[in-house]
């Protein structure tokens, strides 16, 4: 399966694509920028594009050969205006509401044609609250007002975020507990579900949006189907050829574990809510995912990669 399959009707763009990556963290508002960005870079390079990355120090390594890496930060963009020179499109990941206006001013001055924003599923909840409390919605609105062609991507949880140190809390301690004792301890073990997308599929959505006008001015729901906690454990167990025990915790016990591991209460609240909500409303939320248009499959032109695929690719990290 070719993760870098090009968009067939995409225009040929000769300029540079700029990707941004920030240091992983567990704070609310963080996303797996480097995890996804490296796949975006690889797919763009395969399609014949030039790639530049504005990356914080901890994210400057392990990019594909041929990527021009500029050490800096998208949250302090005025320190590196040269990163925007000659750029056609930006995969904007890790931006902050306080400094995204500076990013957009530099983009306008550089004549950048397109911004593809890695957003979140926060905006639909934030819009109920006063604007001064917005995070993701503030970034989306700023991009929309920039005068630059835009696309927002609102992804479900990314499978590989288990290793990247970003959302969600569910699964974040599994590599340690599976390696040490072949066990997973988590709340809602019997009923919990959570939606996941493979990082290669999310990257392919971003590349499609960067390379085509088809998705300009749209919000792309890059969502994978909700997966049961037990099915995810089963995928990993099959990949490593080892039985993994499941131990049901109470929500309070899971909260204590995740707090110990450094997760803030807001991220824990979202995780517990989603595990329970997707389990309770599984048919409804599965149907919502299936009816999104364009679907991820429509956008990337192939079936989505499965959790079984991902577990096999990462089996050594659980052994």
């Amino acid at each position: 399966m070719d993760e870098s399959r090009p968009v067939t009707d995409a225009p040929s763009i000769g300029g540079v694509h700029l990707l941004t990556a920030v240091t992983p963290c567990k704070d609310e508002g963080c996303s797996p920028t480097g995890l996804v960005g490296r796949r975006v870079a690889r797919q763009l390079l395969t399609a014949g594009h030039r790639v530049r990355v504005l990356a914080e120090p901890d994210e400057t390594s392990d990019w594909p050969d041929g990527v021009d890496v500029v050490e800096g930060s998208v949250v302090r963009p005025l320190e590196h205006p040269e990163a925007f020179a000659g750029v056609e499109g930006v995969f904007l990941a890790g931006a902050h509401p306080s400094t995204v206006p500076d990013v957009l001013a530099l983009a306008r001055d550089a004549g950048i044609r397109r911004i593809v924003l890695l957003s979140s599923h926060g905006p639909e909840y934030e819009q109920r609250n006063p604007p001064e409390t917005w995070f993701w919605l503030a970034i989306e609105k700023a991009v929309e007002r920039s005068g630059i062609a835009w696309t927002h991507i609102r992804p479900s949880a990314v499978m590989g975020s288990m290793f990247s140190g970003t959302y969600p809390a569910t699964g974040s301690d599994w590599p340690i507990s599976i390696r040490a004792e072949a066990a997973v301890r988590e709340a809602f073990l019997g009923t919990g579900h959570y939606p996941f997308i493979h990082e290669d599929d999310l990257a392919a959505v971003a590349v499609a949006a960067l390379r085509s006008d088809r998705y300009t001015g749209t919000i792309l729901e890059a969502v994978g189907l909700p997966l049961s906690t037990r099915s995810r454990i089963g995928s990993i167990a099959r990949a490593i050829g080892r039985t993994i025990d499941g131990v049901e915790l109470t929500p309070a016990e899971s909260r204590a574990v995740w707090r110990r591991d450094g997760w803030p209460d807001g991220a824990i609240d979202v995780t517990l809510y989603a595990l329970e909500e997707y389990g309770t409303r599984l048919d409804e939320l599965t149907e919502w995912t299936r009816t999104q248009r364009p679907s991820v499959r429509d956008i990337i032109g192939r079936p989505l990669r499965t959790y079984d695929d991902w577990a096999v690719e990462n089996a050594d990290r659980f052994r």
Side-chain angles (χ1 to χ4, degrees):
M1 185 178 297
D2 181 8
E3 71 181 45
S4 303
R5 180 179 183 271
V7 181
T8 56
D9 64 345
S12 177
I13 297 177
V16 177
H17 288 287
L18 175 65
L19 319 180
T20 60
V22 299
T23 301
C25 69
K26 294 181 172 69
D27 296 341
E28 295 172 68
C30 287
S31 57
T33 61
L35 172 70
V36 178
R38 288 176 178 84
R39 274 108 181 139
V40 173
R42 187 175 300 115
Q43 294 179 30
L44 285 170
L45 290 169
T46 298
H49 296 280
R50 290 180 289 160
V51 178
R52 182 180 302 149
V53 176
L54 178 62
E56 293 186 345
D58 290 345
E59 286 293 324
T60 56
S61 61
D62 299 325
W63 292 90
D65 291 342
V67 173
D68 173 22
V69 180
V70 178
E71 183 175 314
S73 178
V74 69
V75 302
R76 299 184 302 278
L78 297 180
E79 296 178 4
H80 290 280
E82 72 279 4
F84 295 80
V87 169
E88 291 277 357
V90 178
F91 178 58
L92 182 58
H96 192 276
S98 64
T99 55
V100 73
D102 294 332
V103 174
L104 299 171
L106 289 169
R108 282 192 300 269
D109 291 346
I112 289 172
R113 298 175 54 242
R114 180 178 292 121
I115 293 176
V116 175
L117 172 68
L118 182 61
S119 186
S120 172
H121 275 279
E124 58 264 53
Y125 302 103
E126 292 179 335
Q127 63 188 0
R128 307 170 187 169
N129 302 320
E132 60 270 18
T133 67
W134 294 351
F135 185 95
W136 294 108
L137 190 56
I139 297 172
E140 287 190 358
K141 293 300 183 185
V143 172
E144 291 168 17
R145 293 191 298 264
S146 69
I148 301 171
W150 59 269
T151 304
H152 301 331
I153 300 176
R154 294 180 180 175
S156 54
V158 181
M159 295 176 188
S161 62
M162 177 185 292
F163 302 119
S164 74
T166 53
Y167 73 92
T170 178
S172 57
D173 59 335
W174 290 13
I176 295 172
S177 66
I178 290 172
R179 287 196 301 267
E181 51 187 337
V184 164
R185 293 176 170 81
E186 196 160 288
F188 303 110
L189 190 70
T191 60
H193 288 69
Y194 212 102
F196 284 89
I197 187 170
H198 194 293
E199 45 267 31
D200 287 337
D201 292 343
L202 178 53
V205 171
V207 169
L210 283 166
R211 300 188 66 225
S212 174
D213 294 328
R214 190 191 310 176
Y215 307 109
T216 297
T218 62
I219 297 172
L220 301 180
E221 301 281 356
V223 288
L225 290 171
L227 305 175
S228 73
T229 304
R230 287 201 181 276
S231 75
R232 291 162 55 210
I233 295 170
S235 294
I236 297 169
R238 287 189 295 275
I240 65 175
R242 186 181 182 189
T243 299
I244 300 174
D245 294 327
V247 180
E248 179 100 26
L249 300 184
T250 67
E253 288 169 334
S254 264
R255 181 181 294 276
V257 171
W258 291 331
R259 274 180 173 168
R260 180 201 66 202
D261 292 342
W263 291 94
D265 280 337
I268 296 171
D269 290 342
V270 168
T271 302
L272 291 172
Y273 172 81
L275 284 168
E276 183 175 25
E277 189 78 354
Y278 271 92
T280 302
R281 301 169 55 201
L282 181 60
D283 290 345
E284 173 191 352
L285 293 173
T286 298
E287 182 62 18
W288 176 86
T289 302
R290 292 188 187 280
T291 57
Q292 292 306 304
R293 292 295 180 272
S295 67
V296 174
R297 180 167 182 162
D298 293 337
I299 296 167
I300 68 178
R302 58 168 172 77
L304 277 68
R305 306 189 74 175
T306 67
Y307 206 88
D308 281 340
D309 295 332
W310 181 87
V312 169
E313 293 159 10
N314 292 278
D316 287 346
R317 305 182 78 166
F318 294 100
R319 292 189 172 111

